[in-house]
Amino acid sequence: MPPNTTATTGDKPAESGRKKGRKARLFVLVLVLALIGGIAYGGYWSISTVRASFPQTKGSITLDGLSGPVDVKRDGYGIPQIYASSDEDLFMAQGFVQAQDRFYEMDVRRHMTSGRLSEMFGKSQVDNDEFLRTLGWDRIARAEYDKKLSDSTKKYLDAYAKGVNAYLQGKDGEDISLEYAALGFTNDYKPAAWTPVDSVSWLKAMAWDLRGNMQDEIDRALLTSRLGPQQIADLYPQYPYDRNKPIVQEGQYDELTETFEQSGSGSSGGSGDSADGTSDGTSDGSADGTSDGSSLDGATGGSGTSSDTADTSGSALEGQLAGLYDVLDDLPTAVGVNGNGIGSNSWVVGGEHTITGKPLLANDPHLSASLPSVWYQMGLHCRKVSDKCQYDVSGYTFAGMPGVVIGHNADISWGMTNSGVDVTDLYLEKLSGDGYLYDGKVKPFVTREETIEVAGGTAKKIVVRQTEDGMPLLSDRDDELVKVGRKATVDDDAPDRGNGYAVALKWTALEPGTSMDAVFAMNRAADWDAFRKAAEKFDVPSQNLVYADTRNHIGYQLPGKIPTRAKGLDGRVPTLGWESRNKWKGYLKFDQLPYEYDPERGYIVTANQAVVDPDKYPYTLTADWGYGTRSQRITDLIKQKIKGGGKVSTDDMRQMQLDNSSQIANKLVPTLLKINLDDADVREAQELLQGWDRTQDADSAAAAYFNAVWRNILKLAFGHKLPKELRVEGQCLWVDPVDTTGPVDDKDKVRECGQRDGDQAQPDGGDRWFEVVSTLMEKQDSDWWTTPEVGTRPGAEKNRDKLFARAMIDARWELTAKLGKDIDTWSWGRLHRLFLKNQTLGTSGPGILRTILNRGPWKLGGGEAAVDATGWNAAGGYDVVWVPSMRMVVNLDDLDKSKWINLTGASGHAFSAHYTDQTDKWAKGELLDWSFKKKAVDDSTSDTLVLKP
């Protein structure tokens, strides 16, 4: 039974945040005061100063290093198409043009990836830099550049860096962007030259934010402080393979399965076989690993004493991971919130089902809303494709990295969604003196010293420790973690406490890879075979790749460096590091990864659902798929359209991207309408659901009320029963002490307050929670339907409908407070708003600075786990947390009839006409024309700049 709880306070808004150390809090008070003084004085903030940083888009500029002239043609939205006669000129021009529009963003990104934010923003970023130095992204990127990448890739990276530096030549900070003018008030920071490694490092940041199930791994372990194994299982239900189909249904893994079955091995629930066919034969644990002590359950005993201070004895696991989560939560977000519910959509429909007779491909990655958008639209064209100049490609790029990440060339198109494959594991390491315990022996840590330079302050030196196989000790970056590790309580099977415990990270991206090679190979690929060869190099992050070509073929490939684990280990919880049998056994080979080519059904959908049915595939990819709500809805929409021989158009694909129906509403509304309510005002709100079509348009009052009911159901049934480490900051409860077995007097209860930011707390309301509630719906007397006492309101034991009634009442009065008593004025968009914030100087500070740099709000439709996935976190509030960061539909019959849109605009300059000139159209679901061929580009060109050697 869930622990007895009593709520004492409501939730703080998601945007409230903690008082210190939060994401992207990248400047200090002295800067704020200087800015106010600077604005009042009228110094750097003249119109001429602002305009001086705008890019030149007409005429000509001479660039040393070019071998021939390069044309940069921009359309009315400032989107550039570059034309050159050699590969090096093409990528040098790409670097120059991206620096014109986005150099400040690029500079901040490289300081983040290299752990040097303090050089720009002072001592407030030292803790973040310490953690990022511990991960060592730039060191891995340097090793990739030096040892792994092809000569041609290095040549392109060098050319790109040369272009960026050509832009920087002779410029002071205020000549580059308004933000540098602001920084100039408090320090003498000057942008340094760009390096090829700066570009490679960005792939590590991308991999970090798309790393898989680390948050679930931490959360499941933290849940053990208040919940038992069955309760935790209730909150992580099995994937519904019978209802929400996996990506690969007719794919090329039958031979693998047949071979696997003939070998007599088990299913994907956990094989001891490694990718190269080797196994040490020592792992024989149970499915959850507890029988041999190889999982952390063996160390924690499944529970620990809850406390608000790290000095109190508690579980080794819970104390370490709660502190680790705080450290992770402080880090600036690179490209996405790594949480439940976030994901992406991409699908392709073959020519037999389209109006054009050729494939249509759609993609809309869901990432954190940022200003400027993480994406930069661009075309890279060789005037004549040849061995000397090999590229004719257009799409979405990352400012700071050459090539096109998602898009199309003259022959093929591709899209990406996060696969969710589990490529990270946390290990609890037993400290012993200056080393760590491993198979009964003490091994020394591999160490290095790092110096963190601090703007306006004193440099700080840190020592980074890692195991001999390259796992950094994350817990070294937080003093509280060290204290907890020394006082940790473990069971009799674990080593003596000694010096305590530490948390180390095993992650595929901490090994040098070849993903940068893959980007260029994909840009050049002209057919399926070449595309697969390119995908083989795409080791991290593991992405679902969808494919279409002008020859009328479609396909799917799962790439990535994917580990195999010992039998009994599935990556769901942290692992004990002091036994060698718990190490990764190897990696899957590329030809062991699932793919699909021209399936009979004629379409492929990827939206973060399971890649394969585990009964048909022999290897474990993850235990934490998304639950397939969006993917199945997209599949149903396609099937509805092609039923009876119907054909899909480009605009049909766009309309599918905008589908905002609520699948959890389909499950809950019939029950909610049957509940008898005494209060006439609440009944009035209930009547909004009568006849509602379950769509979440921005102007829908019914959507506003339903989502408020959904939020309150989650809060009452689950939120009040979770440990403080998962609940939203500011939500305080009086709870029974963990070690009690029965009811206790009120005077003996313990007050615990939530510790997480609103955008990362639980229950977040994503499709995992859809599955949790849907599963429990038939269990009307489940323990989870126990309603807590709030003030004078009595609780209710094990009664689903009473809890639902309470949620409907609470939702009515919550919306009355937020939107007014008159329900005719309610709308989902008034609750569900998007604010675009500059990710450094626009995130906090005086209002005048935020006004200069930030934009919004926009009132949006869509919602959690809808195809139009304007995500919100139910624990924290209704504001939009992540969004479709771009949308595209590629027409393989006529590429010039393809469509695209970005979240913001091409420019990173706050007063540019192209700062957010696409956002209104994006919010309305509109797409822009996407010119590709020379004539179409010329017809859409507004400005032409010639770069001369």
Side-chain angles (χ1 to χ4, degrees):
M1 178 176 176
N4 185 22
T5 60
T6 304
T8 59
T9 72
D11 299 340
K12 286 186 178 179
E15 63 267 23
S16 63
R18 296 188 182 177
K19 299 300 183 185
K20 60 181 180 179
R22 277 292 157 235
K23 296 186 186 77
R25 200 158 282 182
L26 301 180
F27 65 96
V28 293
L29 180 60
V30 64
L31 173 61
V32 174
L33 296 176
L35 283 172
I36 294 173
I39 293 168
Y41 185 72
Y44 283 27
W45 301 90
S46 66
I47 297 297
S48 60
T49 299
V50 170
R51 288 179 176 171
S53 63
F54 288 4
Q56 178 181 338
T57 60
K58 296 180 180 180
S60 64
I61 298 176
T62 299
L63 295 187
D64 291 339
L66 287 176
S67 64
V70 177
D71 296 328
V72 181
K73 300 171 181 270
R74 293 180 183 257
D75 67 11
Y77 288 88
I79 299 170
Q81 305 280 345
I82 299 176
Y83 289 84
S85 297
S86 73
D87 291 338
E88 291 92 330
D89 284 356
L90 191 65
F91 293 116
M92 181 177 176
Q94 183 182 14
F96 181 86
V97 172
Q98 288 189 339
Q100 280 187 304
D101 283 332
R102 300 277 194 97
F103 182 77
Y104 176 76
E105 173 195 6
M106 293 162 58
D107 200 17
V108 172
R109 283 180 178 177
R110 67 166 166 174
H111 278 79
M112 181 183 73
T113 58
S114 60
R116 295 186 296 119
L117 287 168
S118 300
E119 294 178 14
M120 295 183 75
F121 305 108
K123 64 181 181 181
S124 67
Q125 293 305 298
V126 169
D127 289 346
N128 284 337
D129 284 348
E130 288 184 15
F131 189 83
L132 292 165
R133 294 286 184 96
T134 300
L135 291 175
W137 292 344
D138 61 330
R139 297 176 64 255
I140 306 300
R142 167 57 66 181
E144 287 186 4
Y145 181 83
D146 290 342
K147 301 176 182 178
K148 299 288 287 187
L149 298 180
S150 68
D151 290 341
S152 62
T153 293
K154 292 180 184 179
K155 181 171 63 177
Y156 302 153
L157 288 164
D158 291 347
Y160 182 91
K162 188 185 298 183
V164 176
N165 292 328
Y167 167 76
L168 294 177
Q169 187 174 5
K171 289 184 174 65
D172 293 326
E174 60 268 23
D175 300 324
I176 298 172
S177 80
L178 179 154
E179 289 93 336
Y180 286 120
L183 288 175
F185 284 113
T186 58
N187 63 59
D188 57 357
Y189 173 80
K190 302 293 183 186
W194 192 264
T195 73
V197 174
D198 292 334
S199 295
V200 179
S201 294
W202 179 239
L203 285 172
K204 299 302 176 185
M206 176 179 162
W208 175 255
D209 277 352
L210 302 174
R211 62 191 177 272
N213 78 333
M214 184 188 290
Q215 179 170 315
D216 283 326
E217 194 172 338
I218 293 173
D219 286 358
R220 267 191 297 266
L222 293 173
L223 286 170
T224 61
S225 69
R226 289 223 156 264
L227 304 177
Q230 181 54 53
Q231 294 165 326
I232 295 174
D234 288 345
L235 302 186
Y236 289 89
Q238 294 295 312
Y239 183 92
Y241 289 97
D242 58 335
R243 186 175 73 253
N244 297 343
K245 300 302 181 184
I247 297 170
V248 178
Q249 301 171 40
E250 308 166 31
Q252 305 300 312
Y253 55 84
D254 295 289
E255 291 183 8
L256 289 175
T257 305
E258 182 180 354
T259 302
F260 185 75
E261 290 171 348
Q262 289 174 351
S263 72
S265 300
S267 71
S268 67
S271 167
D273 296 341
S274 74
D276 57 7
T278 62
S279 175
D280 61 11
T282 60
S283 299
D284 57 358
S286 66
D288 63 6
T290 55
S291 65
D292 63 2
S294 58
S295 83
L296 278 168
D297 287 344
T300 65
S303 65
T305 301
S306 178
S307 170
D308 285 326
T309 64
D311 287 326
T312 303
S313 292
S315 158
L317 172 62
E318 294 148 19
Q320 288 281 5
L321 293 183
L324 173 59
Y325 198 97
D326 287 345
V327 175
L328 297 177
D329 201 26
D330 283 349
L331 290 179
T333 301
V335 295
V337 176
N338 190 267
N340 295 310
I342 194 168
S344 303
N345 303 321
S346 189
W347 68 93
V348 60
V349 179
E352 65 182 296
H353 297 309
T354 68
I355 288 175
T356 66
K358 292 288 182 70
L360 295 170
L361 186 149
N363 197 185
D364 56 289
H366 307 155
L367 301 171
S368 292
S370 61
L371 182 59
S373 166
V374 69
W375 300 110
Y376 183 92
Q377 296 150 290
M378 177 175 262
L380 301 171
H381 308 279
C382 290
R383 293 189 177 96
K384 181 180 179 181
V385 176
S386 64
D387 290 341
K388 180 181 178 182
C389 198
Q390 306 173 71
Y391 296 88
D392 187 17
V393 62
S394 182
Y396 294 86
T397 72
F398 290 136
M401 198 179 90
V404 170
V405 179
I406 294 173
H408 71 80
N409 58 31
D411 300 297
I412 74 167
S413 178
W414 66 95
M416 295 185 188
T417 63
N418 194 21
S419 71
V421 168
D422 187 2
V423 295
T424 61
D425 275 343
L426 295 172
Y427 281 81
L428 188 68
E429 300 291 343
K430 173 66 187 67
L431 302 181
S432 182
D434 293 329
Y436 63 101
L437 195 67
Y438 192 74
D439 282 346
K441 298 179 181 179
V442 176
K443 290 197 170 189
F445 286 107
V446 178
T447 63
R448 68 178 187 273
E449 186 176 83
E450 299 271 356
T451 301
I452 298 171
E453 302 293 339
V454 182
T458 304
K460 181 176 182 179
K461 294 184 183 295
I462 64 169
V463 174
V464 175
R465 296 189 294 176
Q466 62 186 48
T467 62
E468 67 175 6
D469 58 348
M471 293 195 297
L473 262 63
L474 304 187
S475 50
D476 277 0
R477 302 284 68 89
D478 188 273
D479 291 340
E480 294 303 300
L481 296 182
V482 175
K483 294 177 186 176
V484 173
R486 288 174 179 166
K487 299 180 70 67
T489 301
V490 295
D491 69 10
D492 294 337
D493 294 331
D496 292 337
R497 180 182 300 110
N499 289 28
Y501 294 85
V503 175
L505 172 66
K506 182 71 172 176
W507 179 32
T508 55
L510 295 182
E511 302 172 17
T514 55
S515 292
M516 201 71 240
D517 282 342
V519 171
F520 295 113
M522 210 169 288
N523 288 188
R524 294 189 305 265
D527 57 29
W528 172 246
D529 289 341
F531 181 78
R532 288 196 75 215
K533 288 179 181 177
E536 187 171 0
K537 300 177 182 294
F538 205 99
D539 42 24
V540 291
S542 177
Q543 298 286 288
N544 295 312
L545 300 178
V546 294
Y547 166 95
D549 65 33
T550 57
R551 297 180 180 88
N552 218 355
H553 299 292
I554 64 173
Y556 163 84
Q557 176 68 59
L558 176 69
K561 184 181 288 186
I562 299 171
T564 57
R565 296 171 174 84
K567 187 176 181 180
L569 299 178
D570 60 9
R572 289 175 64 86
V573 294
T575 307
L576 303 184
W578 45 80
E579 294 182 344
S580 60
R581 62 180 174 177
N582 297 332
K583 291 180 62 176
W584 289 357
K585 301 305 176 183
Y587 297 99
L588 293 177
K589 295 178 180 178
F590 184 74
D591 60 10
Q592 294 172 312
L593 299 178
Y595 72 94
E596 195 166 62
Y597 186 60
D598 287 340
E600 289 185 12
R601 65 186 181 278
Y603 58 87
I604 300 170
V605 176
T606 83
N608 316 109
Q609 78 270 39
V611 171
V612 292
D613 187 327
D615 292 334
K616 299 179 180 178
Y617 185 74
Y619 307 112
T620 301
L621 298 175
T622 186
D624 288 305
W625 303 114
Y627 281 81
T629 302
R630 283 178 288 108
S631 64
Q632 195 57 43
R633 177 60 178 169
I634 295 166
T635 298
D636 291 343
L637 291 170
I638 295 172
K639 290 168 70 174
Q640 290 170 18
K641 186 66 183 179
I642 65 178
K643 185 178 180 180
K647 301 293 185 180
V648 179
S649 69
T650 300
D651 198 60
D652 290 331
M653 300 284 275
R654 180 187 70 86
Q655 293 285 357
M656 291 177 192
Q657 289 179 324
L658 302 179
D659 182 84
N660 60 25
S661 62
S662 171
Q663 302 308 299
I664 191 61
N666 291 335
K667 184 75 175 181
L668 292 181
V669 166
T671 300
L672 296 175
L673 288 172
K674 294 176 183 177
I675 293 175
N676 292 321
L677 298 164
D678 295 332
D679 191 309
D681 289 319
V682 181
R683 288 200 306 272
E684 181 186 28
Q686 182 186 34
E687 289 170 1
L688 289 172
L689 305 180
Q690 190 73 47
W692 177 44
D693 63 2
R694 324 284 167 76
T695 60
Q696 301 172 93
D697 295 333
D699 61 358
S700 171
Y705 181 60
F706 172 77
N707 282 317
V709 173
W710 170 238
R711 179 176 187 243
N712 280 278
I713 287 173
L714 292 171
K715 182 161 58 174
L716 293 168
F718 309 102
H720 292 317
K721 297 156 190 168
L722 300 179
K724 62 183 182 298
E725 293 87 356
L726 275 71
R727 294 200 314 272
V728 69
E729 183 184 18
Q731 184 190 78
C732 299
L733 310 173
W734 289 98
V735 301
D736 293 348
V738 171
D739 56 356
T740 58
T741 57
V744 298
D745 294 334
D746 287 346
K747 64 182 179 62
D748 294 322
K749 289 182 182 291
V750 178
R751 189 171 188 263
E752 291 184 349
C753 296
Q755 297 179 349
R756 283 198 185 169
D757 268 358
D759 62 0
Q760 292 287 306
Q762 295 293 336
D764 62 21
D767 67 352
R768 174 165 68 89
W769 292 99
F770 286 17
E771 198 66 24
V772 169
V773 172
S774 296
T775 302
L776 291 172
M777 281 288 288
E778 306 307 318
K779 303 174 183 178
Q780 298 188 36
D781 59 351
S782 167
D783 291 336
W784 291 107
W785 302 131
T786 299
T787 311
E789 299 175 12
V790 178
T792 59
R793 296 185 182 182
E797 290 288 327
K798 303 181 183 181
N799 189 305
R800 182 198 69 187
D801 288 353
K802 286 186 177 179
L803 186 142
F804 282 10
R806 171 84 161 270
M808 295 174 78
I809 294 168
D810 290 354
R812 175 31 157 145
W813 299 118
E814 180 188 1
L815 294 197
T816 297
K818 292 179 183 294
L819 304 179
K821 186 174 182 180
D822 183 358
I823 65 172
D824 290 337
T825 67
W826 291 2
S827 71
W828 177 223
R830 288 180 62 196
L831 288 174
H832 193 52
R833 301 172 300 167
L834 170 66
F835 293 86
L836 290 177
K837 297 181 179 180
N838 178 287
Q839 292 301 290
T840 56
L841 303 182
T843 55
S844 56
I848 189 168
L849 186 60
R850 294 197 300 270
T851 299
I852 290 171
L853 295 173
N854 300 338
R855 300 293 184 270
W858 283 266
K859 298 176 181 179
L860 299 185
E864 192 64 37
V867 180
D868 185 14
T870 54
W872 56 286
N873 187 302
Y878 302 99
D879 280 344
V880 177
V881 177
W882 53 78
V883 293
S885 56
M886 61 81 159
R887 297 186 184 100
M888 75 175 194
V889 179
V890 180
N891 183 330
L892 275 300
D893 178 62
D894 185 346
L895 292 168
D896 288 326
K897 292 183 179 178
S898 301
K899 305 285 185 177
W900 63 352
I901 197 79
N902 204 353
L903 172 64
T904 61
S907 179
H909 299 285
F911 290 101
S912 167
H914 305 307
Y915 191 49
T916 56
D917 59 339
Q918 297 185 52
T919 309
D920 285 344
K921 290 183 177 294
W922 173 92
K924 295 174 184 176
E926 299 177 13
L927 299 176
L928 304 177
D929 291 337
W930 182 356
S931 300
F932 177 70
K933 296 176 183 177
K934 182 67 162 55
K935 182 180 185 305
V937 170
D938 287 344
D939 289 345
S940 63
T941 295
S942 296
D943 295 345
T944 299
L945 174 69
V946 179
L947 304 178
K948 296 182 177 180

